[in-house]
Amino acid sequence: MTTFKDVSMTVTTGLSGNEIYCLAQKGFQPGNIVVGNSVHSLGIIGSIGSGLKAALGGEIKQVTTLIEEGRETAYRRMLQEAKDHGATGITGVSSELIFHGSNVEFLSIGSAIHASGQAPQEKFSTSDNGQQLYAQLDVGFKPICFAFGNAAYSMGIGRGLMGGIKRLARGEIKEYSNIFNQTRHLALTRIVNHAAQFKANAVLGIKTTILPFGGLNEMLMIGTASHHPGLPGEYSEMPASSNLTNIELWNMARLGFTPMRLLLGTSVYSWGVVGGITSTFKSFVRGEINELTKMIYDARENAINIINQEASAIGADDIVGVKTF
């Protein structure tokens, strides 16, 4: 693709045409894709140590630290490549895991952008794409850096056995509910602390994923540490957090709302052996399976009640963008 202007260097970017247009409105031009990586060995000793701890269940801090260090190393190398290219910012930053046998590659990728004209010259990185970055800038938030929080965890042999027994009866399996709630809140606390280290007063566009890692799982949250001069001073110590897209945030800000905290609630239920047999027989005929309807309803109500309690505890006016799965 060529432009009507003189082009001194070919640019290879991950930005779409719409993103390039949006960023141009804020004085940014596209740069090249930038990459950073780091390959680590899981190691026999580490595997044995984490294996023993996994029998107990909960967070495996040894593995959490290993993953955190790998992600940080790949991210710093990506930042260096962007600096070498003279970039002002990096958009669409990702942090990925790629397994190569007994080794794991930590990979960070983003698209560099360059300030022109009256655009801010401060260096930054963000997990947002170009359109989301436009909305964030337009509503008054200044992006600072890509932020993440993680927790590697195991359900544990004990929890697995207890959960297996409880699955014989219908109802909530609190051991599973608790571990998911704990690891999600650990990841949230860590991404907020990460943002606070860089003088941010908000973490925006948080995305949560669960990734497999050597027989365990990693709870990962990524987002953008940002600063808005209009937020109350209390958020300098404990930044606000939100999983709203920046376009949603842009619209909410126009209505006078500001984010406070990302709320999380998990409730794991079992249908139970008897319930499973009952629903199997009922599935042979058309019609509603009342027992299953009630159980799923109860599980969702329980999860919603958890976030309602969290919202009440922090004095929130409303809970928006609620997602149920």
Side-chain angles (χ1 to χ4, degrees):
M1 174 177 165
T2 60
T3 68
F4 292 108
K5 298 180 180 179
D6 292 332
V7 179
S8 58
M9 182 181 296
T10 300
V11 171
T12 304
T13 179
L15 297 172
S16 68
N18 286 341
E19 292 175 84
I20 292 172
Y21 175 82
C22 287
L23 290 175
Q25 309 311 301
K26 295 298 180 182
F28 292 103
Q29 295 180 344
N32 289 311
I33 291 174
V34 287
V35 179
N37 75 330
S38 178
V39 179
H40 288 231
S41 170
L42 296 179
I44 296 175
I45 296 176
S47 297
I48 294 173
S50 64
L52 292 173
K53 292 179 182 178
L56 301 176
E59 184 186 15
I60 315 299
K61 291 185 178 179
Q62 177 185 22
V63 181
T64 297
T65 300
L66 183 152
I67 299 173
E68 181 183 8
E69 291 174 351
R71 290 189 188 279
E72 280 286 349
T73 301
Y75 171 69
R76 287 196 301 270
R77 288 174 180 167
M78 181 193 65
L79 289 181
Q80 185 59 51
E81 185 170 302
K83 181 180 179 180
D84 294 342
H85 288 202
T88 306
I90 313 171
T91 66
V93 176
S94 64
S95 183
E96 303 171 20
L97 301 178
I98 301 175
F99 289 92
H100 305 279
S102 61
N103 302 319
V104 59
E105 179 186 19
F106 299 91
L107 179 66
S108 286
I109 301 178
S111 292
I113 57 174
H114 301 267
S116 61
Q118 299 301 312
Q121 300 294 319
E122 294 92 345
K123 307 293 185 184
F124 68 89
S125 60
T126 173
S127 61
D128 298 320
N129 63 30
Q131 290 171 285
Q132 297 290 342
L133 177 57
Y134 169 87
Q136 181 181 163
L137 292 167
D138 201 61
V139 82
F141 280 94
K142 181 180 74 174
I144 299 174
C145 67
F146 172 82
F148 77 91
N150 72 325
Y153 67 95
S154 165
M155 298 307 293
I157 295 174
R159 282 187 175 90
L161 291 174
M162 183 63 67
I165 293 171
K166 288 194 173 182
R167 278 198 296 270
L168 296 176
R170 188 174 66 182
E172 184 180 14
I173 306 176
K174 291 188 176 181
E175 291 78 12
Y176 287 0
S177 296
N178 290 342
I179 198 165
F180 284 124
N181 278 309
Q182 289 166 6
T183 51
R184 281 191 169 92
H185 282 87
L186 272 176
L188 178 60
T189 298
R190 287 166 182 167
I191 192 173
V192 167
N193 289 342
H194 186 181
Q197 291 174 16
F198 291 89
K199 309 302 181 184
N201 61 6
V203 193
L204 305 179
I206 295 176
K207 300 180 182 69
T208 304
T209 54
I210 298 176
L211 302 170
F213 190 90
L216 305 175
N217 289 301
E218 179 196 21
M219 187 72 68
L220 174 68
M221 292 187 181
I222 66 169
T224 302
S226 309
H227 187 274
H228 194 294
L231 289 180
E234 64 198 65
Y235 291 116
S236 297
E237 297 293 329
M238 183 62 67
S241 53
S242 172
N243 68 341
L244 293 175
T245 68
N246 287 329
I247 292 174
E248 291 174 312
L249 181 67
W250 185 71
N251 287 320
M252 293 299 295
R254 289 171 177 266
L255 295 175
F257 289 92
T258 57
M260 294 181 67
R261 184 186 301 171
L262 174 61
L263 303 176
L264 306 164
T266 302
S267 187
V268 180
Y269 272 60
S270 169
W271 181 226
V273 173
V274 176
I277 294 172
T278 302
S279 65
T280 299
F281 282 118
K282 287 192 175 183
S283 67
F284 288 110
V285 295
R286 190 173 65 179
E288 182 181 12
I289 304 175
N290 293 323
E291 294 86 350
L292 187 55
T293 298
K294 180 66 166 58
M295 188 201 73
I296 296 174
Y297 178 87
D298 289 344
R300 286 201 175 101
E301 283 293 302
N302 193 29
I304 290 172
N305 185 53
I306 292 172
I307 65 172
N308 282 335
Q309 290 174 2
E310 287 193 7
S312 177
I314 62 174
D317 292 322
D318 296 292
I319 307 171
V320 300
V322 176
K323 300 176 178 66
T324 61
F325 303 95

